[in-house]
Amino acid sequence: MKWTVSDVDMYEKEKQYIDTALLPLVQLTLSNATKTAVAGGELVQLLASEVERQLKGRLFLLPPFTYFLTETKEECVKRLNVWTDELKKSGMAHVFYLTSDRMWNETELGGKLFVLPSIPLEHMDEVYQQQMVREQTSKLLSSFISHWT
Amino acid sequence: MSEKKHRVSRRQFLNYTLTGVGGFMAAGILMPMVRFALDPILREEEATEMVAVAQVKDITTEPQRFDFKVKVKDAWYEADEPKSAWVYKDEKGNIIALSPICKHLGCTVNWNADESHPNQFFCPCHYGRYTKDGTNVPGTPPLAPLDRYEYKVKDGKLYLGKAKPRGEA
Ligand code: FES
């Protein structure tokens, strides 16, 4: 389910079934690295919403966790772990992160990290783009599902 | 009657124009509602738009997944919504097109994905299961069979319409 009023109704009713939070980790910057950051963030959100569509009865796709390029890694890790604890306290048995930023290290985090390969979508024609997205989505789906079992 | 009395004062003028504009706006809001309330035929028409999804010759007795897009319009924008269907021919040769949306909480089900329960549809979220014809397996979370798409065959192509609860399609 998504972070929308209509989906939250379902969340309140079916809480016991919705045990997984999906948190996109998205880097912000307005420096000269903007385009790379945006491209990575865009791909992350695109795939997150594809996966949400297929697993909506168990997965809650939250608004992204964003951080500035200039924040230190320690700060980011600390802040993300605060979020993660908060989510677990509210009943999420699993917290999944989805990112294209190689800075993150699963060993430092309270949840499960999924790092996407960087795909230069903008240089691809549309058919190939869709194929890439489909492939990545099905890979993610199966790793999510196998992490559940 | 003097000329003066007939002149429209500034306030009156404003009143007239505002009622005019307000009237227009109200009509703009009300008209579609009235139209829908009065005319079920109009509603029907929007519901029966069908999309070509597959070649009939590609359909086998084994369910296959076909992806397609339908145009949806909500209050703000028009978009292509991705959809899929599990399609096969039953032993009488009838085409069955099932919606992959789990009737429990809406995850996407897969055919033959669970090794311990072959030849069933399987929902990865809470392990809901359905037999080949879409009937929910008792004891698993879903409480209803998978929806079926309305379909028609034209020029060797399969067209799908709305997915409807079984019994209605
Ligand atoms: S959403 Fe399919 S079993 Fe719960």
Side-chain angles (χ1 to χ4, degrees), chain A residues 21-81:
Chain A
L22 175 57
L23 203 53
L25 311 180
V26 176
Q27 187 192 62
L28 295 184
T29 172
L30 293 176
S31 70
N32 44 14
T34 309
K35 199 155 177 193
T36 332
V38 172
E42 214 181 335
L43 180 66
V44 165
Q45 305 220 53
L46 177 69
L47 289 177
S49 64
E50 273 300 297
V51 175
E52 184 277 335
R53 200 166 59 79
Q54 303 208 31
L55 301 177
K56 63 166 68 206
R58 183 159 179 189
L59 193 82
F60 200 160
L61 171 58
L62 298 176
F65 175 89
T66 50
Y67 48 96
F68 245 89
L69 182 62
T70 46
E71 277 178 78
T72 65
K73 186 181 169 191
E74 289 68 50
E75 284 171 62
C76 295
V77 168
K78 199 168 139 214
R79 202 152 61 82
L80 181 54
N81 278 330

Side-chain angles (χ1 to χ4, degrees), chain A residues 99-113:
Chain A
T99 190
S100 58
D101 185 349
R102 262 138 234 291
M103 163 185 99
W104 297 101
N105 229 324
E106 192 176 84
T107 48
E108 302 166 319
L109 303 171
K112 173 90 189 124
L113 182 67

Side-chain angles (χ1 to χ4, degrees), chain A residues 17 57, chain B residues 102-107 109 123 125-128 130 141-142:
Chain A
Y17 290 107
Chain B
C102 182
K103 297 298 275 187
H104 179 222
L105 295 178
C107 293
V109 302
C123 179
C125 285
H126 317 100
Y127 318 119
Y130 304 83

